[in-house]
Amino acid sequence: RVSHLAKAYREGFVYSGQFSAFRNRRHGNSSSGLPSERFVVFAQNHDQIGNRMLGERLSHLLSFEAQKLAAGLVLLSPFIPLLFMGEEYGERAPFQYFISHSDLWLIEAVRRGRQEEFAAFQWLGKVSDPQSEGTFQKCQLNHELRYSGEHQVLYNLVRELIRLRKELPAFGSRSRDELEAIARENEKVLWVRRWRGSEQAVAVFNMSHAVTSALPPFPAARLNKVLDSADRHWRGAGSSNPDTLKTEGNCSLSISATSFALYHTN
């Protein structure tokens, strides 16, 4: 849920003692008192990808627009961001589970374990042999992708987000005392406001597959757009968001599907 994202931005852990249907019990503790630098956040990591049967990355599972949105959510958070190898340009090689053991009994045990694990998931497809050199070879990165097409656009977007994180004090701060995160669950929109002194920045994320109109839920301010993932510069469909945003009255944004925009006081 978008409300889970909002809570993660505000506190860290989403589960802080409430019931988990997956675990069939209460789970977690509050992390609201822990500093932001204690958290490493990501959209994908080696465990999540390597423990899928086919080793698919987000670049296989999400549209290009959704990959840009995921990058924005991670890099504009108040936590330490982790980008899994090649994620910054949308690497297409899978990352499958592979081994290089010499013990024949262990090799067979791993093969059998992988088969049994995915049989329980009832996923379609064939489990690659983890001991095969071919499994390892097809997982190697192609760094040249970052210089062409959508891969280059995503790479440049990630670089720009890192630059803004470094240069805008409001988004460089890891203090959650200067942060608001508000979910609009019905619209699938997340609003995030960060500030440092008189400087403030507002990010809006649209997780919906449709264009969404949304009113900023924050105090009155006049902000200038510094990045919009729907702009044609980022190979988006084109943005109708204004260059200047007034967070008061009826100044709503028409946020493109699966996109995010960032506004700043300067």
Side-chain angles (χ1 to χ4, degrees):
R1 289 180 174 271
V2 179
S3 57
H4 292 161
L5 270 175
K7 185 177 180 182
Y9 265 66
R10 291 193 303 264
E11 298 184 22
F13 295 159
V14 171
Y15 279 90
S16 53
Q18 66 268 47
F19 182 78
S20 165
F22 176 76
R23 294 175 173 84
N24 197 30
R25 59 174 170 79
R26 292 184 177 276
H27 177 71
N29 293 292
S30 174
S31 61
S32 59
L34 294 176
S36 295
E37 56 265 28
R38 296 280 295 277
F39 294 88
V40 176
V41 297
F42 46 83
Q44 57 185 330
N45 66 27
H46 70 286
D47 281 325
Q48 294 172 329
I49 303 168
N51 286 313
R52 293 181 63 83
M53 186 170 68
L54 302 179
E56 307 102 318
R57 297 166 174 267
L58 287 185
S59 58
H60 300 107
L61 303 171
L62 298 180
S63 68
F64 178 60
E65 295 304 314
Q67 290 179 70
K68 292 189 291 181
L69 177 60
L73 284 165
V74 170
L75 288 165
L76 294 176
S77 82
F79 308 110
I80 306 297
L82 179 152
L83 297 175
F84 180 67
M85 55 184 194
E87 179 182 352
E88 68 275 15
Y89 59 85
E91 174 62 55
R92 296 292 298 170
F95 183 74
Q96 294 184 308
Y97 186 90
F98 53 80
I99 57 175
S100 181
H101 296 325
S102 56
D103 188 313
L104 295 180
W105 179 90
L106 182 56
I107 292 170
E108 287 307 314
V110 173
R111 285 171 173 161
R112 185 171 59 253
R114 297 291 286 176
Q115 293 285 349
E116 292 173 354
E117 177 182 357
F118 294 114
F121 280 99
Q122 298 182 333
W123 285 352
L124 299 176
K126 183 180 179 181
V127 182
S128 295
D129 181 0
Q131 181 70 11
S132 168
E133 187 175 341
T135 300
F136 166 75
Q137 292 289 347
K138 67 182 177 184
C139 295
Q140 295 192 39
L141 305 185
N142 178 8
H143 292 289
E144 295 303 310
L145 287 175
R146 75 181 69 183
Y147 301 118
S148 63
E150 290 183 346
H151 300 283
Q152 185 177 41
V153 174
L154 180 60
Y155 182 65
N156 289 336
L157 176 67
V158 167
R159 287 170 59 91
E160 179 65 6
L161 287 168
I162 293 172
R163 184 188 70 81
L164 292 171
R165 185 182 172 103
K166 289 181 176 180
E167 295 182 5
L168 299 183
F171 269 100
S173 169
R174 291 198 290 272
S175 170
R176 299 202 303 280
D177 294 331
E178 301 170 313
L179 178 149
E180 283 184 274
I182 298 174
R184 292 290 185 253
E185 198 69 66
N186 291 339
E187 294 85 10
K188 295 186 178 180
V189 168
L190 173 68
W191 288 92
V192 178
R193 183 171 77 99
R194 311 273 304 275
W195 63 91
R196 173 71 68 85
S198 61
E199 179 221 5
Q200 64 175 308
V202 168
V204 56
F205 304 89
N206 180 14
M207 267 66 74
S208 169
H209 294 294
V211 176
T212 300
S213 295
L215 286 168
F218 300 125
R222 183 183 178 90
L223 305 161
N224 298 318
K225 186 166 70 172
V226 294
L227 191 150
D228 191 329
S229 69
D231 282 342
R232 298 193 186 281
H233 174 73
W234 303 114
R235 287 208 180 184
S239 172
S240 57
N241 288 329
D243 291 334
T244 301
L245 172 65
K246 297 178 181 178
T247 58
E248 60 182 335
N250 295 316
C251 182
S252 67
L253 294 181
S254 181
I255 313 163
S256 299
T258 326
S259 74
F260 71 95
L262 176 63
Y263 285 82
H264 186 256
T265 48
N266 292 337

